[in-house]
Coordinates of all heavy atoms in Angstrom, one line a residue:
M1 N 19.5 59.5 40.3 CA 19.2 58.1 40.6 C 19.8 57.7 41.9 O 21.0 58.0 42.1 CB 19.6 57.2 39.4 CG 19.5 55.8 39.7 SD 20.1 54.6 38.5 CE 19.5 55.1 37.0
C2 N 19.1 57.1 42.8 CA 19.7 56.6 44.0 C 20.4 55.3 43.7 O 19.9 54.4 43.1 CB 18.6 56.3 45.0 SG 18.1 57.7 45.9
R3 N 21.6 55.2 44.2 CA 22.4 54.0 44.0 C 22.8 53.6 45.4 O 23.0 54.4 46.3 CB 23.6 54.2 43.2 CG 23.4 54.5 41.8 CD 23.3 53.3 41.0 NE 23.2 53.6 39.7 CZ 23.1 52.7 38.7 NH1 23.0 51.5 39.1 NH2 22.9 53.0 37.5
P4 N 23.0 52.3 45.7 CA 23.6 51.9 46.9 C 25.0 52.6 47.1 O 25.7 52.8 46.1 CB 23.7 50.4 46.8 CG 22.7 50.0 45.8 CD 22.6 51.2 44.8
R5 N 25.3 53.0 48.3 CA 26.6 53.6 48.4 C 27.7 52.7 48.2 O 27.6 51.5 48.1 CB 26.6 54.2 49.9 CG 26.6 53.1 50.9 CD 26.4 53.8 52.3 NE 25.6 52.9 53.0 CZ 26.0 52.3 54.1 NH1 27.1 52.5 54.6 NH2 25.2 51.5 54.8
G6 N 28.9 53.3 48.0 CA 30.1 52.6 47.6 C 30.5 51.7 48.7 O 29.8 51.4 49.7
P7 N 31.8 51.3 48.7 CA 32.3 50.4 49.7 C 32.1 51.0 51.1 O 32.2 52.1 51.4 CB 33.8 50.3 49.4 CG 33.9 50.7 48.0 CD 32.8 51.7 47.7
V8 N 31.8 50.1 52.0 CA 31.6 50.5 53.4 C 32.9 50.7 54.1 O 33.9 50.0 53.8 CB 30.8 49.4 54.2 CG1 30.6 49.7 55.6 CG2 29.4 49.2 53.5
A9 N 33.0 51.6 55.0 CA 34.2 51.9 55.8 C 34.7 50.7 56.4 O 34.0 49.8 56.9 CB 33.9 53.0 56.8
A10 N 36.0 50.7 56.6 CA 36.7 49.5 57.3 C 36.0 49.4 58.7 O 35.7 50.4 59.3 CB 38.1 49.7 57.4
G11 N 35.8 48.2 59.2 CA 35.3 48.0 60.5 C 33.8 47.8 60.5 O 33.2 47.5 61.5
A12 N 33.1 47.9 59.4 CA 31.7 47.7 59.3 C 31.5 46.2 59.5 O 32.2 45.3 59.1 CB 31.2 48.1 57.9
P13 N 30.3 45.9 60.1 CA 30.0 44.5 60.4 C 29.9 43.7 59.1 O 29.5 44.3 58.0 CB 28.6 44.6 61.1 CG 28.5 45.9 61.6 CD 29.3 46.8 60.6
D14 N 30.2 42.5 59.1 CA 30.2 41.6 57.9 C 28.9 41.6 57.2 O 28.7 41.6 56.0 CB 30.6 40.2 58.2 CG 32.1 40.1 58.5 OD1 32.9 41.0 58.1 OD2 32.5 39.0 59.1
G15 N 27.8 41.6 58.0 CA 26.5 41.6 57.5 C 26.2 42.8 56.6 O 25.5 42.8 55.6
E16 N 26.7 43.9 57.1 CA 26.5 45.2 56.4 C 27.3 45.2 55.1 O 26.8 45.6 54.0 CB 27.0 46.4 57.2 CG 26.9 47.7 56.6 CD 25.5 48.3 56.7 OE1 24.7 47.8 57.5 OE2 25.2 49.2 55.9
L17 N 28.5 44.6 55.1 CA 29.3 44.5 53.9 C 28.5 43.6 52.9 O 28.5 43.9 51.7 CB 30.7 43.9 54.1 CG 31.6 44.8 55.0 CD1 32.8 44.1 55.3 CD2 32.0 46.1 54.1
F18 N 28.0 42.5 53.3 CA 27.3 41.5 52.5 C 26.1 42.2 51.9 O 25.8 42.1 50.7 CB 26.9 40.3 53.3 CG 26.1 39.4 52.4 CD1 26.7 38.6 51.4 CD2 24.7 39.2 52.6 CE1 26.0 37.7 50.6 CE2 23.9 38.4 51.8 CZ 24.6 37.6 50.8
A19 N 25.3 43.0 52.7 CA 24.1 43.6 52.3 C 24.4 44.7 51.2 O 23.8 44.8 50.2 CB 23.4 44.3 53.4
D20 N 25.6 45.4 51.4 CA 26.0 46.4 50.4 C 26.4 45.7 49.1 O 26.0 46.2 48.0 CB 27.1 47.2 50.9 CG 26.7 48.3 51.8 OD1 25.6 48.6 52.0 OD2 27.6 48.9 52.5
R21 N 27.0 44.5 49.2 CA 27.4 43.8 48.0 C 26.1 43.3 47.3 O 26.1 43.4 46.0 CB 28.3 42.7 48.3 CG 28.9 42.0 47.0 CD 29.9 40.9 47.4 NE 29.2 39.7 47.8 CZ 29.5 39.0 48.9 NH1 30.5 39.3 49.6 NH2 28.8 37.9 49.1
V22 N 25.1 42.8 48.0 CA 23.9 42.4 47.3 C 23.2 43.5 46.6 O 22.7 43.4 45.5 CB 23.0 41.6 48.3 CG1 21.6 41.3 47.8 CG2 23.6 40.3 48.8
R23 N 23.1 44.6 47.3 CA 22.5 45.8 46.7 C 23.2 46.3 45.5 O 22.6 46.7 44.5 CB 22.3 46.9 47.8 CG 21.2 46.7 48.8 CD 21.0 47.9 49.7 NE 22.1 48.1 50.6 CZ 22.2 47.7 51.8 NH1 21.2 47.0 52.3 NH2 23.3 48.0 52.6
S24 N 24.5 46.2 45.5 CA 25.3 46.6 44.4 C 25.1 45.7 43.2 O 25.0 46.1 42.1 CB 26.8 46.6 44.8 OG 27.6 47.0 43.7
E25 N 25.0 44.4 43.5 CA 24.7 43.4 42.4 C 23.4 43.7 41.8 O 23.2 43.6 40.6 CB 24.9 42.0 42.9 CG 26.2 41.6 43.3 CD 26.3 40.2 44.0 OE1 25.2 39.6 44.2 OE2 27.4 39.9 44.4
L26 N 22.4 44.0 42.7 CA 21.1 44.2 42.1 C 21.1 45.5 41.3 O 20.4 45.6 40.2 CB 20.1 44.4 43.3 CG 18.6 44.6 42.9 CD1 18.1 43.5 42.2 CD2 17.8 44.9 44.2
S27 N 21.8 46.5 41.7 CA 21.9 47.8 41.0 C 22.5 47.5 39.7 O 22.1 48.1 38.6 CB 22.7 48.7 41.8 OG 22.7 50.0 41.1
D28 N 23.5 46.6 39.6 CA 24.1 46.3 38.2 C 23.1 45.5 37.4 O 23.1 45.7 36.2 CB 25.3 45.3 38.5 CG 26.5 46.1 39.1 OD1 26.5 47.4 39.1 OD2 27.4 45.5 39.6
E29 N 22.2 44.7 37.9 CA 21.2 43.9 37.2 C 20.1 44.9 36.7 O 19.5 44.6 35.7 CB 20.7 42.8 38.0 CG 21.6 41.7 38.2 CD 21.0 40.5 38.9 OE1 20.1 40.0 38.3 OE2 21.5 40.1 40.0
L30 N 19.8 45.9 37.5 CA 18.7 46.8 37.2 C 19.3 48.2 37.1 O 18.9 49.1 37.9 CB 17.6 46.7 38.3 CG 17.0 45.4 38.5 CD1 16.2 45.4 39.7 CD2 16.1 45.0 37.3
P31 N 20.1 48.5 36.1 CA 20.8 49.9 36.1 C 19.9 51.1 35.8 O 20.2 52.2 36.2 CB 21.7 49.7 34.9 CG 21.1 48.7 34.0 CD 20.4 47.7 35.0
D32 N 18.7 50.8 35.3 CA 17.8 52.0 35.1 C 16.8 52.2 36.2 O 15.9 53.1 36.1 CB 16.9 51.8 33.8 CG 17.9 51.7 32.6 OD1 18.9 52.3 32.6 OD2 17.5 51.0 31.6
E33 N 16.9 51.5 37.3 CA 16.0 51.6 38.4 C 16.6 52.5 39.5 O 17.8 52.5 39.7 CB 15.7 50.2 39.0 CG 15.0 49.3 38.0 CD 13.7 49.8 37.5 OE1 13.0 50.5 38.2 OE2 13.4 49.5 36.3
D34 N 15.7 53.1 40.2 CA 16.1 53.9 41.4 C 15.9 53.0 42.6 O 14.9 52.8 43.2 CB 15.1 55.1 41.6 CG 15.3 56.2 40.6 OD1 16.4 56.3 40.0 OD2 14.3 56.9 40.3
L35 N 17.1 52.5 43.0 CA 17.1 51.6 44.2 C 17.8 52.4 45.4 O 18.8 52.9 45.2 CB 17.9 50.3 43.8 CG 17.4 49.5 42.7 CD1 18.4 48.4 42.4 CD2 16.0 48.9 43.1
G36 N 17.2 52.3 46.5 CA 17.7 52.9 47.7 C 18.3 51.9 48.6 O 18.5 50.7 48.2
Q37 N 18.7 52.3 49.8 CA 19.3 51.3 50.7 C 18.3 50.3 51.2 O 18.7 49.2 51.5 CB 20.0 52.1 51.9 CG 21.2 52.8 51.5 CD 22.3 51.8 51.2 OE1 22.6 51.6 50.0 NE2 22.9 51.2 52.2
D38 N 17.1 50.7 51.4 CA 16.1 49.8 51.9 C 15.2 49.2 50.7 O 14.4 49.9 50.2 CB 15.1 50.6 52.8 CG 14.2 49.7 53.6 OD1 14.0 48.5 53.1 OD2 13.6 50.1 54.6
L39 N 15.6 47.9 50.4 CA 15.0 47.3 49.3 C 13.5 47.0 49.6 O 12.7 46.9 48.7 CB 15.7 46.0 48.9 CG 17.1 46.2 48.5 CD1 17.8 44.9 48.2 CD2 17.2 47.1 47.3
G40 N 13.1 46.9 50.9 CA 11.8 46.7 51.2 C 10.9 47.9 50.8 O 9.8 47.7 50.3
D41 N 11.5 49.0 50.9 CA 10.8 50.3 50.5 C 10.6 50.2 48.9 O 9.5 50.7 48.5 CB 11.6 51.5 50.8 CG 11.4 52.0 52.3 OD1 10.5 51.4 52.9 OD2 12.1 52.9 52.7
C42 N 11.5 49.7 48.2 CA 11.3 49.6 46.7 C 10.0 48.8 46.4 O 9.3 49.1 45.5 CB 12.5 48.9 46.1 SG 14.0 49.8 46.1
L43 N 9.9 47.7 47.2 CA 8.7 46.9 46.9 C 7.4 47.6 47.4 O 6.3 47.6 46.8 CB 8.8 45.5 47.6 CG 9.9 44.6 47.1 CD1 9.9 43.3 47.9 CD2 9.6 44.3 45.6
D44 N 7.5 48.2 48.6 CA 6.4 49.0 49.2 C 5.9 50.1 48.3 O 4.7 50.3 48.2 CB 6.7 49.5 50.6 CG 6.9 48.4 51.6 OD1 6.4 47.2 51.3 OD2 7.5 48.6 52.7
Q45 N 6.9 50.8 47.7 CA 6.5 52.0 46.9 C 6.2 51.6 45.4 O 5.8 52.5 44.7 CB 7.7 53.0 46.9 CG 8.1 53.4 48.3 CD 7.0 54.2 49.0 OE1 6.3 55.0 48.3 NE2 6.8 54.0 50.2
Y46 N 6.4 50.4 45.0 CA 6.2 50.0 43.7 C 4.7 50.0 43.4 O 3.9 49.5 44.1 CB 6.8 48.6 43.4 CG 6.6 48.2 41.9 CD1 7.5 48.8 41.0 CD2 5.7 47.4 41.5 CE1 7.4 48.5 39.7 CE2 5.5 47.1 40.2 CZ 6.3 47.7 39.2 OH 6.2 47.4 37.9
H47 N 4.4 50.5 42.2 CA 3.0 50.6 41.7 C 2.7 49.5 40.6 O 3.4 49.6 39.5 CB 2.6 52.0 41.1 CG 2.7 53.1 42.1 ND1 1.9 53.2 43.2 CD2 3.7 54.0 42.2 CE1 2.3 54.3 43.9 NE2 3.4 54.7 43.3
L48 N 2.0 48.5 41.0 CA 1.7 47.4 40.0 C 1.2 48.0 38.7 O 0.3 48.9 38.7 CB 0.7 46.4 40.6 CG 1.3 45.5 41.7 CD1 0.2 44.7 42.3 CD2 2.4 44.7 41.2
G49 N 1.6 47.5 37.6 CA 1.2 47.9 36.3 C 2.0 49.1 35.7 O 1.7 49.6 34.7
S50 N 3.0 49.5 36.5 CA 3.8 50.7 36.0 C 4.9 50.3 35.0 O 5.6 51.1 34.4 CB 4.4 51.4 37.1 OG 5.3 50.6 37.9
K51 N 5.0 48.9 34.8 CA 6.0 48.4 33.8 C 5.3 47.4 33.0 O 4.2 46.8 33.4 CB 7.2 47.7 34.5 CG 8.0 48.5 35.4 CD 9.1 47.6 36.0 CE 9.9 48.4 37.0 NZ 10.7 49.5 36.4
P52 N 5.9 47.1 31.8 CA 5.3 45.9 31.1 C 5.4 44.7 31.9 O 6.3 44.5 32.7 CB 6.3 45.8 29.8 CG 6.8 47.2 29.7 CD 6.9 47.7 31.0
R53 N 4.4 43.8 31.8 CA 4.3 42.6 32.6 C 5.5 41.8 32.9 O 5.9 41.5 34.0 CB 3.1 41.8 32.1 CG 2.8 40.6 33.1 CD 1.6 39.8 32.6 NE 1.5 38.6 33.4 CZ 0.7 38.4 34.4 NH1 -0.1 39.5 34.8 NH2 0.6 37.3 35.0
C54 N 6.2 41.5 31.8 CA 7.4 40.6 32.0 C 8.5 41.4 32.7 O 9.3 40.8 33.5 CB 7.9 40.1 30.6 SG 8.5 41.3 29.5
E55 N 8.7 42.7 32.5 CA 9.7 43.5 33.2 C 9.3 43.6 34.6 O 10.1 43.6 35.5 CB 9.8 44.9 32.6 CG 10.5 45.0 31.2 CD 10.5 46.3 30.6 OE1 10.6 47.3 31.4 OE2 10.6 46.5 29.4
E56 N 8.0 43.8 34.9 CA 7.5 44.0 36.3 C 7.8 42.7 37.1 O 8.3 42.7 38.2 CB 6.0 44.2 36.2 CG 5.4 44.4 37.6 CD 3.9 44.9 37.4 OE1 3.0 44.1 37.1 OE2 3.7 46.1 37.5
V57 N 7.5 41.5 36.5 CA 7.7 40.3 37.2 C 9.2 40.1 37.5 O 9.6 39.7 38.6 CB 7.2 39.1 36.3 CG1 7.7 37.7 36.9 CG2 5.7 39.1 36.2
E58 N 10.1 40.4 36.5 CA 11.5 40.3 36.7 C 12.0 41.2 37.8 O 12.7 40.8 38.7 CB 12.3 40.5 35.4 CG 13.8 40.5 35.6 CD 14.5 40.8 34.3 OE1 14.0 41.5 33.4 OE2 15.7 40.3 34.2
Y59 N 11.6 42.5 37.7 CA 11.9 43.5 38.7 C 11.5 43.0 40.1 O 12.4 43.0 41.0 CB 11.3 44.8 38.4 CG 11.4 45.8 39.5 CD1 12.6 46.6 39.6 CD2 10.4 46.1 40.4 CE1 12.8 47.5 40.6 CE2 10.6 47.0 41.4 CZ 11.7 47.7 41.5 OH 11.9 48.7 42.5
L60 N 10.3 42.6 40.3 CA 9.8 42.2 41.6 C 10.5 41.0 42.1 O 10.9 40.9 43.3 CB 8.3 42.0 41.6 CG 7.5 43.2 41.3 CD1 6.0 42.9 41.1 CD2 7.6 44.3 42.4
E61 N 10.8 40.0 41.2 CA 11.6 38.8 41.7 C 13.0 39.2 42.0 O 13.4 38.6 43.0 CB 11.5 37.8 40.5 CG 10.2 37.1 40.3 CD 10.2 36.1 39.2 OE1 11.2 36.1 38.4 OE2 9.2 35.4 39.0
L62 N 13.6 40.0 41.3 CA 15.0 40.3 41.6 C 15.2 41.0 42.9 O 16.0 40.7 43.7 CB 15.7 41.1 40.5 CG 16.0 40.4 39.2 CD1 16.4 41.3 38.1 CD2 17.1 39.3 39.4
V63 N 14.3 42.0 43.1 CA 14.3 42.7 44.4 C 14.0 41.8 45.6 O 14.7 41.8 46.6 CB 13.3 43.9 44.4 CG1 13.3 44.6 45.8 CG2 13.8 44.9 43.3
Q64 N 13.0 41.0 45.5 CA 12.6 40.0 46.6 C 13.8 39.0 46.8 O 14.1 38.8 47.9 CB 11.3 39.3 46.2 CG 10.9 38.5 47.4 CD 10.6 39.3 48.7 OE1 9.8 40.2 48.7 NE2 11.3 38.9 49.8
E65 N 14.4 38.5 45.7 CA 15.5 37.6 45.9 C 16.7 38.3 46.6 O 17.3 37.7 47.6 CB 16.0 37.2 44.5 CG 17.1 36.2 44.6 CD 17.6 35.8 43.2 OE1 16.8 35.2 42.5 OE2 18.8 36.0 42.9
A66 N 16.9 39.5 46.3 CA 18.0 40.3 47.0 C 17.7 40.5 48.5 O 18.5 40.3 49.4 CB 18.2 41.7 46.4
I67 N 16.4 40.8 48.8 CA 16.0 40.9 50.2 C 16.2 39.6 50.9 O 16.7 39.6 52.0 CB 14.5 41.4 50.3 CG1 14.4 42.8 49.8 CG2 14.0 41.3 51.7 CD1 12.9 43.3 49.6
D68 N 15.8 38.5 50.3 CA 15.9 37.2 50.9 C 17.4 36.8 51.1 O 17.7 36.3 52.2 CB 15.2 36.1 50.0 CG 13.7 36.3 49.9 OD1 13.2 37.0 50.8 OD2 13.1 35.7 49.1
R69 N 18.2 37.1 50.1 CA 19.7 36.8 50.3 C 20.2 37.6 51.5 O 21.0 37.1 52.3 CB 20.4 37.2 49.1 CG 20.3 36.2 47.9 CD 21.1 36.6 46.7 NE 22.6 36.7 47.0 CZ 23.4 37.4 46.4 NH1 23.1 38.2 45.4 NH2 24.7 37.4 46.7
I70 N 19.8 38.9 51.6 CA 20.4 39.7 52.7 C 19.9 39.1 54.1 O 20.7 39.0 55.0 CB 19.9 41.2 52.6 CG1 20.7 41.8 51.4 CG2 20.3 41.9 53.8 CD1 20.2 43.1 51.0
E71 N 18.6 38.7 54.1 CA 18.1 38.2 55.4 C 18.8 36.9 55.7 O 19.0 36.6 56.9 CB 16.6 38.0 55.2 CG 15.8 39.3 55.2 CD 14.3 39.1 55.1 OE1 13.9 38.0 54.8 OE2 13.6 40.1 55.1
R72 N 19.1 36.0 54.7 CA 19.8 34.7 55.0 C 21.2 34.9 55.3 O 21.8 34.1 55.9 CB 19.6 33.8 53.8 CG 18.3 33.2 53.5 CD 18.3 32.1 52.5 NE 19.1 32.5 51.3 CZ 18.5 32.9 50.2 NH1 17.2 33.2 50.1 NH2 19.3 33.3 49.1
G73 N 21.8 36.0 54.8 CA 23.2 36.3 55.0 C 24.1 35.5 54.1 O 25.3 35.3 54.4
R74 N 23.6 35.0 53.0 CA 24.4 34.3 52.0 C 23.9 34.5 50.6 O 22.7 34.7 50.3 CB 24.7 32.9 52.4 CG 23.4 32.1 52.6 CD 23.7 30.7 53.1 NE 22.6 30.3 53.8 CZ 21.7 29.3 53.4 NH1 21.9 28.7 52.3 NH2 20.7 29.0 54.1

């Protein structure tokens, strides 16, 4: 299973640290999912109908929310 990498090395830009934290939180919320570093790819590669409807909606919303948080930087 792909997981976001651990803590970023010292000196990494704040935006990178924040993005890593958001990806880590998402990974905690979706422990059975294969999440990579690029959450946009998770949405692009997702096949509609591959999960029960309520799980699918939750998954897609959580991933999109994480992407939006990273883009906003908060």
Side-chain angles (χ1 to χ4, degrees):
M1 176 188 306
C2 277
R3 294 271 187 182
R5 62 190 145 117
V8 176
D14 288 342
E16 180 80 17
L17 291 171
F18 177 74
D20 281 347
R21 188 174 77 226
V22 171
R23 285 188 291 266
S24 178
E25 290 170 5
L26 180 63
S27 184
D28 289 345
E29 289 185 60
L30 300 169
D32 296 332
E33 299 298 329
D34 289 333
L35 300 171
Q37 284 296 102
D38 187 342
L39 297 178
D41 279 348
C42 291
L43 293 181
D44 292 342
Q45 302 297 322
Y46 184 76
H47 299 290
L48 290 174
S50 64
K51 298 179 183 300
R53 185 174 170 98
C54 64
E55 288 179 29
E56 183 170 78
V57 169
E58 180 182 22
Y59 171 81
L60 295 172
E61 286 177 352
L62 288 171
V63 173
Q64 186 60 56
E65 181 180 302
I67 291 169
D68 293 344
R69 283 182 63 204
I70 292 169
E71 288 176 354
R72 285 192 314 265
R74 54 185 155 109

